[in-house]
Amino acid sequence: MAGARGAAAAAASAGSSTSSGTPPPQEPGLGELLEEFSRTQYRAKDCSGTGGSRVERIEKRCLELFGRDYCYSVIQNVNGDICGHYPQHIVFLEYESSEKEKDTFQSTVQVSKLQDLVNRSKMARCRGRFVCPVILFKGKHICRSATLAGWGELYGRTGYNYIFSGGADDAWADSEDITEEDCALRSSDTHLFDKVRGYDIKLLRYLSVKYICDLMVENKKVKFGMNVTSSEKVDKAQRYADFTLLSIPYPGCEFFKEYKDRDYIAEGLIFNWKQDYVDAPLSIPEFLTCSLNIDWSQYQSWDLVQQTQNYLKLLLSIINSDGRAHPHVPEAR
């Protein structure tokens, strides 16, 4: 989490200092952030005590760095109330700005509405990792999230929230929206998915998302015989049909153990596409590939380097397109 200029300056100075043998100077806080990231697992609710003060200091520094290049709003996630894996202050970059423009900043979003949509939609995705803008490029938001939650997690989490909130499920707590009919509909898978995924779609539309790039190598991820996550492209009700869905299967974190075991040499490292759980084929609308001069039918023969390069070419071409649609990339795992 750093402003583009701040991070670039740190990287540039690091490159120039290494050749002289002197330790590279760092932006205050960036080194601390990288060290914290590499050594500990982040949980927003653990941000208290000595460790918490360090996290708060890092987050404050990140906000300062964002402020160098952008005007932004903040979604509050104190104690991980929205998502325990996201920062306590979730940055929503609105547009690039110079120092002179800071005083004339007018928000392009209603933060209260955005926060409400986030609260309602968080149950639609695995571990509450809702759709969240993370990069702003030429006015376009690149978002990330987890994949869609399966029925097992949905029912498990609605029950957990109901019990531990004293009977009030925070994702459904607005009295204007909850009726006796809504309560009765919870007993039906279809109606529960309609409600929760409907809020997810409202958030996607509010963020002007048009493209959803799915990196899963399976249509549904199964744990202990239960579907725990699902891809938008296999939603039976076709709720996400209005978005342009790209299935670009990319190996998950388990595969990268092989990359580490090979001393981080990616050339010649090819994923085994014949494994039983791999059932998501590559599927990209032709209008997005016609100018790239890539033979996509050969994707299963690509090593990790070529696969990564070709996927990045595709994503960059979408981001650089003339339209103002915002791409969204759910995490592979």
Side-chain angles (χ1 to χ4, degrees):
M1 295 168 55
R5 292 172 194 155
S13 60
S16 61
S17 302
T18 303
S19 59
S20 63
T22 58
Q26 295 180 326
E27 281 274 353
L30 288 180
E32 191 176 15
L33 170 62
L34 293 173
E35 181 182 4
E36 184 76 11
F37 167 78
S38 64
R39 292 185 178 182
T40 62
Q41 183 176 2
Y42 177 82
R43 291 185 178 88
K45 66 180 181 180
D46 294 337
C47 295
S48 59
T50 305
S53 61
R54 185 180 187 186
V55 171
E56 289 178 356
R57 186 168 64 253
I58 292 172
E59 285 196 9
K60 181 179 179 181
R61 180 57 177 160
C62 288
L63 292 176
E64 291 173 356
L65 292 172
F66 275 126
R68 291 186 181 185
D69 302 317
Y70 303 97
C71 287
Y72 64 85
S73 296
V74 173
I75 302 172
Q76 298 297 332
N77 183 40
V78 179
N79 297 320
D81 292 339
I82 303 176
C83 178
H85 310 99
Y86 285 1
Q88 292 195 97
H89 307 285
I90 301 171
V91 176
F92 181 87
L93 301 176
E94 300 203 33
Y95 47 81
E96 292 185 57
S97 63
S98 65
E99 201 61 41
K100 294 180 180 180
E101 296 171 324
K102 292 292 192 296
D103 295 335
T104 61
F105 169 61
Q106 291 185 346
S107 180
T108 59
V109 298
Q110 298 178 35
V111 177
S112 59
K113 181 176 181 178
L114 182 60
Q115 183 113 16
D116 181 62
L117 284 172
V118 163
N119 272 308
R120 294 177 180 279
S121 68
K122 64 181 181 180
M123 296 183 66
R125 295 188 177 266
C126 185
R127 291 165 290 181
R129 295 181 177 179
F130 57 90
V131 177
C132 183
V134 292
I135 298 174
L136 179 64
F137 178 73
K138 294 184 177 179
K140 300 175 186 177
H141 290 291
I142 302 171
C143 307
R144 63 92 59 204
S145 75
T147 50
L148 296 175
W151 68 266
E153 178 171 359
L154 267 180
Y155 276 117
R157 290 178 59 220
T158 51
Y160 178 90
N161 288 345
Y162 183 83
I163 293 170
F164 289 97
S165 62
D169 185 340
D170 61 350
W172 306 79
D174 193 321
S175 59
E176 292 182 0
D177 287 346
I178 294 298
T179 64
E180 291 183 7
E181 181 183 4
D182 287 329
C183 293
L185 293 181
R186 291 195 190 189
S187 62
S188 167
D189 285 354
T190 300
H191 290 294
L192 178 59
F193 279 115
D194 281 343
K195 190 84 172 181
V196 177
R197 293 187 179 174
Y199 283 129
D200 180 63
I201 290 170
K202 285 183 179 180
L203 177 59
L204 286 166
R205 287 175 175 161
Y206 190 71
L207 297 174
S208 301
V209 168
K210 181 177 180 181
Y211 300 98
I212 298 178
C213 305
D214 184 359
L215 302 177
M216 291 178 68
V217 298
E218 60 270 90
N219 289 322
K220 295 184 178 181
K221 191 166 183 64
V222 180
K223 289 284 189 182
F224 308 111
M226 178 184 295
N227 293 331
V228 292
T229 70
S230 176
S231 167
E232 290 90 346
K233 63 182 179 289
V234 294
D235 180 70
K236 291 181 180 179
Q238 295 293 301
R239 300 175 184 87
Y240 294 86
D242 290 340
F243 302 92
T244 301
L245 303 177
L246 289 77
S247 176
I248 45 177
Y250 191 80
C253 56
E254 301 91 345
F255 176 70
F256 280 81
K257 182 180 183 301
E258 297 185 34
Y259 174 56
K260 179 181 178 182
D261 292 343
R262 294 175 94 246
D263 199 24
Y264 301 100
I265 298 174
E267 289 82 359
L269 181 57
I270 300 176
F271 180 70
N272 180 10
W273 297 96
K274 295 183 179 180
Q275 298 174 84
D276 292 341
Y277 70 92
V278 179
D279 61 358
L282 184 139
S283 177
I284 309 169
E286 186 177 353
F287 73 92
L288 294 174
T289 64
C290 56
S291 63
L292 295 177
N293 194 29
I294 296 173
D295 185 359
W296 294 98
S297 67
Q298 299 299 310
Y299 78 97
Q300 293 187 354
S301 66
W302 296 338
D303 67 11
L304 189 58
V305 174
Q306 190 174 9
Q307 185 180 26
T308 303
Q309 289 174 339
N310 288 338
Y311 281 13
L312 283 174
K313 288 178 183 177
L314 171 66
L315 295 174
L316 289 172
S317 70
I318 295 173
I319 295 168
N320 280 304
S321 62
D322 292 335
R324 294 189 57 84
H326 301 181
H328 162 52
V329 185
E331 64 184 14
R333 289 289 181 270

